[in-house]
């Protein structure tokens, strides 16, 4: 923990998430995010990154629920807030961007309306004014011809554009905390870079703190000053990015870094084997107790099995 | 919770009916046709006749039991025919596409546009009343939903890796349809069939009402209900019990189908295709 | 019903058979349902008098018969059509020509056959009917080909007098008749609303201002509607009959009549066993028809003795129906060699009084004497088709058997073809002789004697299982008067005589 | 839009042709004929010559293909032929039945939608609750009762016992007369709609964009209003359309029971009397109704859902 | 070098698009346009490019799962498509495919063993216990346990499923393996295992690969040659080293530039290597974010050689 110049925006303490009361998916995770800071959360699929983000927003769906710990947002434990107060926070002071830009927007409402809604709900504006602000917001995320775009529907936009719209929505009320859950994984590589840059730039300008969830170390390296590594429901390591890459402490982190081929690292002649995770870290060393409940993310068909 | 309860209830009801149908011969205290005693007609439920007697003096309980046979045969067999036709057409149309798909699609639309009751009525008019005609009439008129679902499922399965893989492994088209596609669409088809069983039982009743049902004196719930509707004031038991039997059966299979659907695939809905 | 009729008010009647009215042009349809409406709108030369049981003059005030008994001269009444036209001799001639016209293929053609020259006209050998002659505007002369009273034919509701000047293509939608009521509104498939025709030729009639005829085929629904006061008269089925007669509030307003139908199971001699008189008799012995009539028909029928109904003048009051005697039946079957193994199917519609329920009831009874019966359920139209094309083993049907005994016994005359009405191809020389005799007998009493013998012979021969004669029953609301026990068809009423009293609810005033 | 309607109308032609063909074939092999139905009452024996003339008059003496061709030729000129039974043009027979039928279908559907959709919605908002379980049981029960049985029951209760409503019949202007048959007819689509709506709401509530809306801090009522309702409507519309479309054909039993002068009872009567031109005509009308309603549903889709373009 | 193992000549695949109106113009989607590629024995050819550029379509055509609109595919000089094409069964011995989505590429209702042995039976290679043995051997070869044969797909993790996918593809001893994004659905930690497995197999079995991927670091690691596809066309092609050291086409450059590379970033140096000299760089189409409209834009030139086994497509 480095000496904080100011109080953290978000302070997650011993957060435990479970299914009902029986199984734990997240075991006592703690981290802080300082104002204006971008904090990265990496880890492999199912390690609990998304549910961490969702629990901060208060969007966990039944049967999932927070079973212990606290989430201090600007010093206030949001878990103790009433539903109404919690809702007031959402979108206004903390916002979230999701992974899948194709389905995250209401297909039946115009882009403009979906952005403007933020101003109506949180700023009490009338629709015409909110709509004007929405166009401005679109402009700020560099959507070309924003006037026109405000009138289009999500399906008329490309994936990258939609993700920009999502950013516009999330940042509309200038929140203090933005949770970006794999915001670019579904996008083409060439588009990814642009979207990430946009997030970084806007948040910097507004001093918004960002919790960036990703499984891509490249993305994290690019964006974050500090990184937390998650493995099977635990935060196993937290370091400054540079330090992490240079000197990973936890064996799992080491494995993660080693397993990835790096561009330009191949010798001109021949090709070497990649380092596999379990060559670096033995299973016993890595997992104390594995999370009890894992549903493989599966296809629809699988559910019929 | 709700799901499990409803499904269990459905399963119980369906099993009850099936057991009743199978063991009607042992359970029924009287012959449903020959043990008619006009002297004892329209007797209320009593120790000798648990559910009373009908206008002909026949034991309602026995007739309800034997009626289960007919009604269930109608439901199960006609749905089986529907499922076979619908699946065969739907899978082949979805798999092969092209003109065959267009043809099947057109036919499905025609079948969907002619109300099945109207169609069944016409077929019954040609074949005359009786169990075989009923099976044909109801079996030929209700496959369009199965076909649609089978087709759309096949379309989405067709592009999946394992079907493609089977193709590249050199398997023939029929083999692929049989081993790769069919097992995977059986779930939704089963759901529709289960829901359809109830529909067929009701259709049998409706056709009986319109005068083209099972051939008397063979008892079916539909014709028991139709015959006894005049007696609703004087001998309500003669129609209430077959009515309840229909209700319980249709309810049972509907709950079963709903439950199956929820269990098999929570996302399967009859969407636009 | 003996108080003086009151004028005014509305009567809501119901047409109980099937649902729809075929056509408002009664000449275009042979269905009873349509007669129920047609009777209000149209008039024929004769009409059926339900009280006397005979045809009587309707549109004519008098008739003179020639000495040879074949030429009738009618003096027409001063009657007006709904459109204001006056009835004259040309209308009668035009109407009968139209009915007989083979190109028009009208059901009423049947009723014209007695008129001289119709055969030639239909064969295309004459351009008009020679037996119809206009004497003057109000006098018409009709020549017939036999000695039978032409009233039997010309009273038919299917043979009404239309105005010759009225456009034919309007008849179906805007009928124009001589009847007591004219059309106000027609909702196809639902009801016919009629209003009083002020120029009706019988002075002082009709009494009602309005007549609604609702169409309702479903007996339980009709029952609810009647009890709910939505309709003023209800033709009852057996179940309602029993319920109504036991209901203190309803039992005093029930009209019963023995109709002239004989319900029977006809045996097709195509089946070897049915050629044997003993088998046919055995079946008659084996079935307890009294019980069926009591339990299934709730006594809304009279167990049949032979073919002719009780009301028939040729009915033998001393004749006894076949008794229920299974032992005797077994004996007869044994004699005939059908102790076991006799099996036949009954072609039947779903009619409650002469259809499948009856067959269902006889199945166990016949099973007891070793006869196996199966059902062959058909629709109405298929029943007649199968019977007329000899495509059946046996059938259960309800056939007209009156009021004219000679006409209906002739159905068993060996020369009557199966597709006319000898459905069971009955062929008995003794019976034929009696019919021939009766046909040549002019003295009605003697004729009836001969027919009585024939009818008894028929019972002995048992070409059919004699089941019952229909009892038609109508319940009516207490405020209704003037309904008549029409043995031909109870649902066909002389609407001009119906009236309602002060106790009627507001909706009927 | 107009183009779409024209195109869809043209697409109906093959479907209609197929329907006509099917019905024609079925009724050309059906036992019994119009002629034999005339004799059905067992009393009026019509003479053979009259019958022969009747056959000739209706072209029944011609071979089947010729009859089919004549029929199609007439159809191409919007001529449905002459009814055997009434001897009037078929359209004149059908036309007065059309409005009562449409009225009944629409009223039944209005009832079904007004009750079924809100029920489904409420049930889905509290999935697993007692209300949900109860509603869905009720819905499934609604699908499990034979229609005529339900109709009779309604008649006994509301007309006879309570005396609230007329039990049968059709009055052009009367709302009271339509209530019972409409309810009897509407119960099964109501149940279906309740189920579809419930499933639709659950589906939509699980959609990603609803999570987005939650993340935006919308209150539940606002969320339901602004984001769920329309999306559910899109899912429900198909069922709604299919139900309205097939209601006219499904009404047969109810129309018969309540003596409702609609297309369905006309069809049954015509089948019974083998009045083939009217059977053909009514089936065509029923099918057309289905197709037109479905076309309208597609138009409605385009109005609600920007992703769908009708061109 | 001897005759190439596989040649793709002038491959074009068009898909019909629904007409916008009944009388509207017939529209087609040009998924693949005039693609020429060769694959030599024992080589790994990678195809990279953004989503929708026609990579999978090309692969499916090679597999015979998609009919080409025009052009031909030759295997050892014999056509795989068109009139003289081998039957589906014969073809199965030539090329097999590993699919992108390990979850969707296995039939959920078939045990692994059944799926694998059915192939053997179909081709008359082995039956009964012999087939079982072969299946067991194959499972071992891809790093699974023989008793896994009795399991259903849902009982495996993603990485295991991809191994099964590979086992299935290898069951018939094909010469060519087409890998359509074989690791992109997998976790980083598992990716390495699968890539290593694939490389091992290639060496021990002498297989030739066509690999489709958008992950350039993986591509760089395993390929011998690389083809960059862009809107249905190959825009740059060459041996891996030329492509990664001298990316020339603007799209290739951009692709390499947008790979988030932690080392480069942390080092503060995010550079893309210099392009090879081309006759006239200005002729590249400036806006590369848009699908080229074939009616407006000029046809690009053929591939132009810009170095030893390195060629690029220029705009005309
Ligand atoms: N609704 C749920 N019910 C039960 N378990 C759940 C539910 N949602 C998530 N989980 C489990 O919680 C764990 C953490 O899931 P989470 O979505 O946070 O993973 P993640 O790190 O975001 O993975 P990914 O990279 O795949 O998005 C996983 O084991 C997952 O199976
Ligand atoms: N069966 C088909 N019918 C119509 N269009 C198709 C079909 N298959 C592919 N396409 C279209 O052809 C184009 C090329 O598709 P292809 O799948 O080859 O792309 P890809 O390069 O593999 O993309 P990705 O990386 O997303 O898998 C796409 O625009 C796709 O939408
Ligand atoms: Mg996640
Ligand atoms: Mg692809």
């Amino acid at each position: 923990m480095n000496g904080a110049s100011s109080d953290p925006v978000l302070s997650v303490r011993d957060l435990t998430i479970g299914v009902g009361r029986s199984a734990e998916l997240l075991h006592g995770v703690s981290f802080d995010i300082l104002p204006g800071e971008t904090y990265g959360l990496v880890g492999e699929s199912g390690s609990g990154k998304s549910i961490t983000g969702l629990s901060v927003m208060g969007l966990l769906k039944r049967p999932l629920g927070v079973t212990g710990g606290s989430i201090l947002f600007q010093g206030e434990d949001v878990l103790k807030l009433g539903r109404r107060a919690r809702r007031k926070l959402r979108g206004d002071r903390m916002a979230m961007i999701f992974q899948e830009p194709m389905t995250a927007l209401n297909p039946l409402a115009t882009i403009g309306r979906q952005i403007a809604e933020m101003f109506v709900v949180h700023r009490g504006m009338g629709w015409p004014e909110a709509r004007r602000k929405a166009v401005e917001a679109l402009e700020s995320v560099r959507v070309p011809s924003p006037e026109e775009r405000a009138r289009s529907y999500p399906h008329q936009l490309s994936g990258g554009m939609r993700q920009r719209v999502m950013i516009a929505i999330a940042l509309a009320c200038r929140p203090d905390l933005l949770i970006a859950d794999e915001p670019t994984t579904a996008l083409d590589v060439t588009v990814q870079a642009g979207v990430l840059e946009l997030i970084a730039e806007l948040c910097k300008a507004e001093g918004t703190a960002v919790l960036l969830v990703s499984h891509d170390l490249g993305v994290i390296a690019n964006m974050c000053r500090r990184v937390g590594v998650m493995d099977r429901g635990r935060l196993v390591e937290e370091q400054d990015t540079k330090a992490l890459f240079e000197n990973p402490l936890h064996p799992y982190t080491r494995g993660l870094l080693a397993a990835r081929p790096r561009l330009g690292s191949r010798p001109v002649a021949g090709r070497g084997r990649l380092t596999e995770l379990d060559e670096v870290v033995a299973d016993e060393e890595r997992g104390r107790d594995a999370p009890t409940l894992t549903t493989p993310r599966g296809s629809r068909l699988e559910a019929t099995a | 919770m709700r799901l499990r309860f409803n499904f269990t209830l459905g399963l119980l009801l369906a099993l009850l009916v099936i057991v009743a149908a199978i063991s009607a011969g042992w359970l029924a205290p009287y012959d449903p046709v020959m043990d008619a005693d006009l002297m004892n007609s329209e007797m209320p439920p009593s120790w000798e006749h648990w559910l009373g007697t009908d206008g002909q003096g026949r034991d309602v309980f026995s007739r309800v039991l034997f009626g289960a046979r007919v009604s269930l045969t109608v439901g199960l067999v006609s749905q089986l025919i529907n499922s076979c036709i619908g699946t065969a057409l739907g899978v082949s149309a979805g798999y092969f596409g092209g003109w065959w798909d267009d043809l099947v699609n057109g036919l499905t639309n025609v079948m969907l546009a002619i109300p099945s009751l109207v169609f069944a009525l016409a077929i019954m008019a040609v074949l005359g009343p009786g169990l075989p005609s009923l099976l044909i009439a109801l079996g030929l008129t209700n496959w369009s939903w199965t076909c649609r679902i089978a087709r759309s499922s096949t379309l989405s399965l067709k592009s999946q890796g394992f079907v493609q893989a089977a193709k590249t492994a050199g398997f023939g088209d029929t083999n692929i349809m049989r081993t790769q596609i069919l097992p995977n669409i059986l779930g939704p088809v089963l759901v529709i069939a289960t829901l359809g069983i109830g529909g067929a039982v009701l259709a049998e009743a409706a056709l009986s009402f319109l005068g083209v049902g099972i051939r008397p004196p063979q008892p079916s719930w539909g014709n028991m209900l139709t015959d006894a509707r005049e007696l609703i004031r004087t001998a309500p038991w003669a129609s209430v019990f077959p009515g309840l039997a229909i209700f319980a059966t249709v309810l049972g299979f509907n709950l079963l189908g709903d439950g199956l659907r929820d269990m098999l695939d929570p996302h399967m809905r009859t969407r636009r295709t | 019903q003996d108080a003086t009729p009151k004028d005014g008010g509305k009567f809501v009647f119901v047409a109980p058979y099937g649902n729809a009215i075929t056509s408002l042009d009664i000449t275009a349809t042979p269905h009873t349902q349509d007669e129920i409406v047609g009777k209000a709108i149209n008039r024929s030369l004769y009409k059926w008098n339900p009280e006397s049981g005979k045809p009587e003059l309707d549109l004519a005030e008098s008739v003179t018969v020639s000495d040879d008994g074949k030429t009738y001269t009618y003096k027409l009444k001063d009657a007006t059509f709904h459109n204001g036209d006056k009835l004259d001799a040309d209308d009668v001639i035009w109407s009968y020509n139209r009915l007989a016209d083979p190109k028009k293929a009208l059901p009423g053609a049947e009723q014209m056959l007695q008129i001289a020259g119709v055969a030639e006209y239909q064969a295309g050998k004459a351009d008009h009917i020679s037996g119809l002659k206009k004497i003057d505007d109000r006098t018409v002369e009709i020549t017939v080909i036999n000695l039978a009273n032409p009233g039997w034919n010309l009273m038919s509701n299917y043979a009404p007098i239309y105005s010759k000047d009225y456009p034919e293509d309007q008849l179906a939608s805007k009928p124009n008749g001589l009847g007591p009521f004219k059309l106000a509104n027609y909702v196809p498939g639902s009801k016919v609303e009629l209003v009083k025709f002020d120029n009706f030729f019988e002075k002082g009639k009709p009494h009602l201002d309005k007549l609604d005829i609702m169409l309702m085929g479903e007996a339980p629904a009709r029952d609810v509607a009647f009890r709910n006061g939505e309709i003023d008269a209800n033709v009852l089925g057996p179940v309602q009959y029993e319920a109504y007669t036991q209901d203190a509030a309803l039992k005093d307003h029930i009209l019963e009549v023995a109709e002239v139908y004989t319900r029977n199971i006809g045996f097709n001699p195509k089946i070897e066993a049915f050629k044997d008189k003993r088998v046919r008799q055995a079946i008659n012995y084996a079935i307890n028809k009294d019980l069926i009539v009591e339990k299934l028909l709730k006594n809304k029928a009279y167990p049949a003795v032979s073919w002719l109904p009780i009301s028939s003048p040729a009915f033998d009051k001393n004749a006894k129906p076949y008794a229920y005697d299974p032992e005797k039946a077994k004996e007869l079957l044994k004699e005939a060699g059908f102790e076991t193994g006799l099996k036949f199917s009954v072609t039947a519609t779903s009619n409650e009084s002469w259809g499948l329920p009856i067959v269902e009831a006889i199945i166990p009874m016949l099973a007891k004497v070793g006869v196996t019966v199966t059902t062959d359920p058909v629709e109405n139209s298929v029943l007649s088709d199968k019977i007329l094309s000899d495509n059946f083993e046996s059938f259960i049907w309800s056939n007209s058997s009156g009021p004219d005994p000679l006409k209906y016994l002739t159905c068993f005359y060996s020369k009557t073809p199966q597709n006319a009405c000898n459905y069971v191809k009955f062929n008995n020389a003794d019976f034929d002789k009696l019919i021939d005799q009766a046909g040549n007998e002019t003295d009605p009493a003697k004729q009836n004697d001969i027919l009585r013998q024939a009818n008894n012979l028929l019972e002995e021969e048992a070409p059919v299982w004699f089941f019952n004669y229909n009892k038609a029953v109508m319940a009516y609301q207490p405020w209704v008067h003037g309904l008549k026990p029409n043995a031909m068809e109870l649902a066909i009423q002389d609407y001009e005589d119906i009236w309602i009293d002060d106790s009627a609810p507001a909706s009927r005033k | 839009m107009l183009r779409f309607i024209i195109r869809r109308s043209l697409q109906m032609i093959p479907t209609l042709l197929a329907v006509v063909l099917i019905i024609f074939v079925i009724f050309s092999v059906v036992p019994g004929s119009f002629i034999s139905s005339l004799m059905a009452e067992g009393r009026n024996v019509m003479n053979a010559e009259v019958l022969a003339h009747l056959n000739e008059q209706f072209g029944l003496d011609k071979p089947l293909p010729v009859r089919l061709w004549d029929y199609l030729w007439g159809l191409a000129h919007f001529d449905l032929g002459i009814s055997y039974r009434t001897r009037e043009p078929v359209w004149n027979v059908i036309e007065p039945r059309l409005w009562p039928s449409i009225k009944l279908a629409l009223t039944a559907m209005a009832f079904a939608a007004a009750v079924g959709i809100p029920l489904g919605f409420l049930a889905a908002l509290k999935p697993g609750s007692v209300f949900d379980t109860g509603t869905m049981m009720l819905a499934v029960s609604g699908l499990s009762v034979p229609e005529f049985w339900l109709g009779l029951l309604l008649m006994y209760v509301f007309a006879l016992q309570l005396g609230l409503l007329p039990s049968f019949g059709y009055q052009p202007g009367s709302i009271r007369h339509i209530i019972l048959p409409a309810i009897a007819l509407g119960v099964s689509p109501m149940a279906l709609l309740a189920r579809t709506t419930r499933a639709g709401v659950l589906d939509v509530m699980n959609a990603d964009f609803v999570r987005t809306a939650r993340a935006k801090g919308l209150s539940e009522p606002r969320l339901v209003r602004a984001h769920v309702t329309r999306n559910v409507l899109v899912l429900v519309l198909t069922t709604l359309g299919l139900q309205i479309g097939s209601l006219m054909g499904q009404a047969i039993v109810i129309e018969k029971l309540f003596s409702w002068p609609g297309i369905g009872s006309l069809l049954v009567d015509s089948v019974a009397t083998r009045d083939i031109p009217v059977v053909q005509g009514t089936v065509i009308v029923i099918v057309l109704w289905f197709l037109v309603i479905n076309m309208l549903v597609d138009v409605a889709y385009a109005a609600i859902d920007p992703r769908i373009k009708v061109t | 070098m001897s005759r190439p193992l596989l040649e793709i000549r002038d491959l074009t695949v068009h898909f019909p698009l629904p007409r916008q109106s009944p009388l509207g113009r017939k529209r087609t989607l040009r998924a693949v346009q005039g693609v020429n590629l060769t694959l030599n024995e024992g080589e790994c050819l990678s195809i990279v490019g953004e989503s929708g550029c026609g990579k999978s379509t090309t692969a499916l055509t090679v597999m015979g799962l998609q009919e080409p609109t025009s052009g031909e595919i030759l295997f050892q000089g014999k056509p795989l498509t068109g009139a003289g094409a081998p039957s589906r069964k014969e073809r199965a011995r030539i090329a097999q495919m590993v699919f992108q989505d390990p979850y969707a590429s296995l039939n959920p209702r078939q045990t692994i063993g059944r799926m694998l042995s059915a192939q053997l039976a179909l081709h008359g290679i082995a039956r009964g216990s012999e087939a079982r043995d072969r299946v067991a051997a194959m499972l071992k070869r891809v790093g699974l346990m023989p008793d896994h044969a009795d399991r259903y797909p849902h009982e495996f993790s993603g990485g295991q499923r991809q191994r099964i996918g590979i086992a299935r593809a290898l069951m018939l001893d094909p010469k060519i393996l087409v890998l359509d994004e074989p690791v992109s659905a997998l976790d980083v930690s598992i990716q390495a295992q699968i890539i290593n497995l694939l490389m091992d197999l290639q060496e021990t079995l002498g297989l030739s690969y066509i690999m489709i991927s958008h992950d350039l670091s993986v591509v760089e690691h395993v390929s011998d040659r690389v083809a960059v596809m862009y809107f249905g066309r190959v825009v740059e092609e060459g041996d891996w080293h030329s492509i990664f050291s001298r990316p020339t086409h603007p799209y290739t450059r951009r692709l390499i530039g947008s790979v988030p590379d932690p080392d480069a970033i942390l080092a503060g140096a995010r550079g893309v290597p210099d392009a090879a000299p081309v006759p006239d760089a200005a002729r590249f189409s400036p806006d590369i974010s848009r699908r080229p409209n074939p009616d407006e834009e000029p046809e690009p030139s053929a591939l132009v050689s810009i170095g030893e086994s390195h060629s690029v497509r220029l705009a005309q």
Side-chain angles (χ1 to χ4, degrees), chain B:
Chain B
M1 173 59 199
R2 174 194 96 84
L3 196 151
R4 195 94 55 67
F5 171 74
N6 282 6
F7 178 77
T8 316
L9 182 64
L11 194 68
L12 276 179
L13 286 174
L15 279 179
L16 188 76
V17 177
I18 292 172
V19 168
I22 292 173
S23 52
W26 299 295
L27 289 180
Y30 299 92
D31 185 280
V33 175
M34 290 305 174
D35 282 337
D37 180 4
L38 275 178
M39 293 305 288
N40 272 329
S41 65
E42 299 178 38
M43 299 292 269
S46 66
W47 190 238
E48 290 94 82
H49 299 283
W50 294 353
L51 305 183
T53 64
D54 68 1
Q56 300 265 7
R58 296 173 297 205
D59 183 47
V60 173
F61 178 59
S62 304
R63 281 179 76 77
V64 168
L65 283 178
F66 277 94
R69 272 192 189 173
V70 172
S71 293
L72 219 58
T73 309
V74 168
L76 293 173
V77 177
S78 68
Q79 259 335 96
L80 189 72
I81 301 175
N82 279 322
S83 301
C84 289
I85 297 178
T87 314
L89 289 180
V91 168
S92 59
Y95 187 81
F96 290 116
W99 65 269
W100 175 243
D101 189 24
D102 291 341
L103 185 75
V104 171
N105 236 337
L107 205 60
T108 315
N109 287 339
V110 171
M111 294 301 295
L112 218 53
I114 308 182
S116 54
L117 191 61
V118 172
F119 210 155
L121 192 67
I123 296 182
M124 290 305 288
V126 172
L127 300 176
L131 186 59
S133 332
L134 212 54
L135 295 180
I136 295 172
L138 294 175
L140 291 183
T141 49
N142 255 325
W143 47 264
S144 35
W145 277 118
T146 314
C147 182
R148 278 193 163 193
I149 296 289
R151 180 175 168 275
S152 60
S153 312
T154 305
L155 277 180
S156 68
L157 285 172
K158 192 168 77 161
S159 58
Q160 298 228 340
F162 65 89
V163 175
Q164 305 259 20
K167 271 193 199 171
T168 59
F171 288 101
D173 290 329
T174 15
N175 187 306
I176 292 176
M177 283 190 270
R178 190 167 46 80
T179 61
Q180 308 293 322
I181 292 180
L182 206 57
N184 283 301
I185 62 167
L186 233 45
V189 167
L190 191 68
V191 169
I192 296 186
T194 318
L195 296 176
I197 290 172
V201 171
L202 285 179
E204 191 265 328
L207 288 173
S208 278
F209 175 79
L210 296 174
V212 284
I214 230 63
R215 187 177 288 235
Q218 194 177 13
S220 82
W221 294 337
N223 66 20
M224 288 177 76
L225 202 53
T226 308
D227 290 350
R229 73 188 193 278
E230 295 253 22
L231 305 177
I232 182 81
R233 306 172 132 269
T234 50
W237 52 88
S239 48
V240 163
F241 291 111
L244 277 179
I246 293 183
F247 177 74
T249 308
V250 180
L251 185 73
F253 280 101
N254 266 307
L255 291 177
L256 198 63
D258 273 2
L260 273 182
R261 167 178 21 217
D262 290 353
M263 274 176 2
L264 290 178
D265 185 350
H267 295 286
M268 196 198 88
R269 311 259 184 257
T270 43
R271 286 262 178 77
R272 286 156 66 78
T273 36

Side-chain angles (χ1 to χ4, degrees), chain C residues 278-307:
Chain C
R278 288 168 299 190
V279 172
R280 304 191 302 250
Q281 286 174 332
I283 293 172
N284 270 288
Y285 280 121
I287 303 173
N288 189 346
K289 68 180 150 203
D290 291 350
L291 189 62
I292 296 179
V293 166
E294 182 196 329
K295 289 292 182 174
L296 286 182
L297 303 192
K298 316 289 187 194
N299 286 326
K300 199 184 90 68
Y302 306 94
V305 176
S306 178
W307 189 254

Side-chain angles (χ1 to χ4, degrees), chain C residues 410 412-416 422 426-438 454 457:
Chain C
T410 307
F412 292 91
Y413 191 65
S414 65
K415 293 209 187 71
T416 308
N422 190 0
F426 187 67
N427 187 346
N428 181 299
D430 295 341
F431 185 81
D432 284 2
K433 218 181 284 162
L434 288 170
I435 294 297
D436 284 338
Q437 247 179 331
L457 177 64

Side-chain angles (χ1 to χ4, degrees), chain D residues 247-307:
Chain D
L247 223 47
M248 202 182 274
Q250 276 166 5
I252 296 180
V253 168
I254 294 297
E255 285 185 3
K256 207 66 198 141
L257 184 67
F258 284 91
S259 305
W260 193 263
I263 295 287
S265 54
L266 178 63
L267 178 69
V268 178
D269 289 349
S270 307
V271 170
T273 51
R274 302 288 187 262
D275 191 350
I276 313 301
V278 178
V279 172
Q280 286 271 20
T282 43
V283 173
I284 288 177
V285 166
I286 289 172
V287 169
L288 258 182
W289 167 260
F290 178 88
L291 295 175
V292 168
I293 292 290
N294 273 287
M295 180 173 81
L296 293 181
V297 165
D298 284 347
V299 171
Y301 264 116
I304 300 177
D305 191 339
R307 286 168 299 186

Side-chain angles (χ1 to χ4, degrees), chain A residues 188, chain B residues 159, chain E residues 13-18 29-32 47-60 66 100 180-181 212-214 229 231-232 291:
Chain A
D188 253 347
Chain B
S159 58
Chain E
V13 183
H14 290 177
F15 292 111
L17 287 178
L29 183 119
R30 294 151 207 252
V32 175
I47 306 177
V48 297
E50 75 186 326
S51 183
C53 70
K55 306 183 296 280
S56 297
T57 306
T58 308
L60 291 179
Q66 172 67 51
Q100 167 170 9
D180 189 354
E181 315 248 13
I212 290 168
S213 182
H214 62 256
M229 277 187 77
F231 287 129
R291 171 169 282 274

